[in-house]
Amino acid sequence: MSPRDVVQPDPSLLPAALPPPRKVPQTWVLTLLMGLGPFSMQIIIPSLPLLAVIFSVPYATAQMTLTVYLIGIALGQLIYGPLSDRFGRRPVLLLGMGVYLLGSLAALLAPAIGWLVVARAAQAAGGCAGMVLSRAIIRDVFPRDQAASKIGFVMMGMTVAPMLAPLIGAELAAAFGWRAVMLACVLFGAVIALLALRMPETLAEPQPLPGLSGMARGYWQLAGVRTFRCYAAITACTSGVFFAFMSGAPRVIMEGMGHTARVYAIAFMTISVAFAAGSFLAGRFSARLGLARMLHLGLAGSTAGTLLGVAVQALLPPSLLLFFLPMSIVALGNGLSQPSAVAAAVSVRPQLAGTASGLVGAAQMACGAVMTLLAGAVELGSGIGTAATMAGCALGAQLALRGARQAA
């Protein structure tokens, strides 16, 4: 038989060539990227009473360095997500790191509280790039249930940064002054920027989202999906619980109970440990149990913790242990639920994972900023105002979960 007689297969019937595998970034690098924003946010919290004294301003004014930081993260995430869907994860990440370093340097040199507040907004707008893109990168290379598991493990490791940040901030401020706190941010950011230079690109296919109109269309497309709205609301409300606590706790612990910033920072570590435990369980069991069950378990724990907090603060005498115990239960529940909520939200439209990640993150920070203002306004030092604000957020998350079930 001659080669001419051999039947040649139809090329159209051959299986399509598989795309080259995308390199998965190392988990510890993603953990540092996701942790930069929370680290920089919380490192200054123990210094808020000190800043009020140094700059001769009310505590509420010093607290704006936290509230504006959250606003900066919210706005930044709205931009980075769509840009990363269009231009790739790596170049947008490098842009964010440059903005973060400039903001941190400006905060280090701030001569007045107003300058510091503006610099913190820039610092936040840059630092949030790692938060948005680490989630999008994970969704780029993993399917939905595995993405929830991976996000859980990354969030578990990420808690080390915010766990240590208040203690580091308290010790640096006590030894060298508050500017040493901002210097630590500069150094940490420089290390993360060097790591970002070595990051691989994971975006498989850029999405055409030109200009502001393109971003708006992407957000409008996502906002029109009820399932996405519900999962984003769950993430925002559970985050609001945390930010309400973070806003009111320093006043309760340092002014209401008379403890030092160091005591607050050490006690706060229990919250991070509880959140890490919940994130570990999410990473371990999300793929096996599924998103719906993990969400139900996590939100049940968070809601129970906030309601316990209201009862404890209203009925029992002030106590450091009794103030942090309910929040530890909340943190455990949030660690269980948030990875699943985030993974579900960014999976509604996988081709817009970066845009979805940015919109979810913006909703988190916007809700957090509102909760810091609300908790700061209603908290008089007893802890009741903070606990009530947290409970309201937890109940909002329960309503959003009910909506997600109805939309499924």
Side-chain angles (χ1 to χ4, degrees):
M1 180 182 295
S2 66
R4 183 179 302 175
D5 297 327
V6 177
V7 177
Q8 301 295 326
D10 186 347
S12 64
L13 300 178
L14 294 176
L18 295 175
R22 283 170 282 173
K23 183 178 179 182
V24 180
Q26 294 178 310
T27 300
W28 67 271
V29 176
L30 294 174
T31 300
L32 290 177
L33 285 173
M34 190 176 282
L36 178 62
F39 175 87
S40 305
M41 173 176 60
Q42 297 193 52
I43 194 172
I44 202 173
I45 291 176
S47 299
L48 292 182
L50 177 63
L51 290 174
V53 173
I54 290 176
F55 290 113
S56 301
V57 295
Y59 179 83
T61 302
Q63 194 182 45
M64 290 299 294
T65 59
L66 172 61
T67 301
V68 171
Y69 189 95
L70 296 174
I71 296 174
I73 289 182
L75 296 178
Q77 291 186 96
L78 289 173
I79 298 172
Y80 291 124
L83 287 180
S84 74
D85 285 334
R86 174 64 180 87
F87 298 107
R89 314 304 187 199
R90 185 175 180 272
V92 176
L93 176 61
L94 294 177
L95 171 65
M97 292 311 305
V99 174
Y100 174 85
L101 287 173
L102 290 175
S104 298
L105 286 170
L108 173 64
L109 302 174
I113 191 67
W115 182 298
L116 179 60
V117 168
V118 174
R120 287 277 290 172
Q123 187 185 48
C128 71
M131 300 170 64
V132 177
L133 298 180
S134 56
R135 294 190 295 253
I137 288 169
I138 290 172
R139 188 59 186 90
D140 285 341
V141 297
F142 293 102
R144 193 179 84 149
D145 284 347
Q146 288 184 341
S149 177
K150 194 71 173 180
I151 291 173
F153 281 124
V154 170
M155 293 180 74
M156 179 195 68
M158 179 203 73
T159 56
V160 175
M163 177 175 68
L164 297 178
L167 183 59
I168 293 173
E171 296 298 329
L172 287 175
F176 306 106
W178 70 269
R179 293 187 191 276
V181 176
M182 292 297 99
L183 179 60
C185 293
V186 173
L187 297 177
F188 189 29
V191 171
I192 301 299
L194 292 176
L195 292 173
L197 288 171
R198 302 171 59 87
M199 288 280 292
E201 180 57 63
T202 61
L203 181 65
E205 183 179 354
Q207 299 297 311
L209 293 175
L212 293 177
S213 61
M215 293 183 186
R217 284 196 300 272
Y219 288 132
W220 186 258
Q221 180 181 347
L222 288 168
V225 180
R226 184 184 179 188
T227 305
F228 174 82
R229 294 197 305 269
C230 291
Y231 286 128
I234 291 171
T235 309
C237 289
T238 52
S239 298
V241 173
F242 172 76
F243 288 120
F245 179 85
M246 193 169 61
S247 175
R251 188 169 192 180
V252 175
I253 300 303
M254 288 182 264
E255 294 184 10
M257 298 184 188
H259 294 292
T260 64
R262 177 181 297 174
V263 170
Y264 165 78
I266 294 174
F268 189 85
M269 294 174 72
T270 61
I271 307 303
S272 297
V273 170
F275 185 82
S279 297
F280 172 78
L281 293 174
R284 183 70 175 82
F285 296 109
S286 288
R288 184 185 308 175
L289 299 180
L291 299 182
R293 188 173 299 177
M294 296 303 294
L295 275 172
H296 175 76
L297 292 173
L299 291 184
S302 298
T303 305
T306 59
L307 296 177
L308 176 62
V310 173
V312 166
Q313 301 310 315
L315 301 176
L316 298 178
S319 166
L320 188 68
L321 175 62
L322 294 178
F323 185 70
F324 276 90
L325 178 60
M327 185 58 198
S328 297
I329 299 174
V330 171
L332 179 66
N334 279 6
L336 286 172
S337 65
Q338 283 199 352
S340 294
V342 171
V346 300
S347 298
V348 170
R349 294 287 187 273
Q351 71 276 18
L352 295 177
T355 302
S357 178
L359 189 54
V360 169
Q364 282 183 282
M365 297 305 120
C367 183
V370 172
M371 291 306 108
T372 61
L373 293 175
L374 180 58
V378 301
E379 181 54 67
L380 302 178
S382 66
I384 297 176
T386 299
T389 305
M390 293 164 54
C393 289
L395 294 176
Q398 290 285 359
L399 292 176
L401 177 61
R402 181 180 179 182
R405 288 172 175 169
Q406 293 174 347

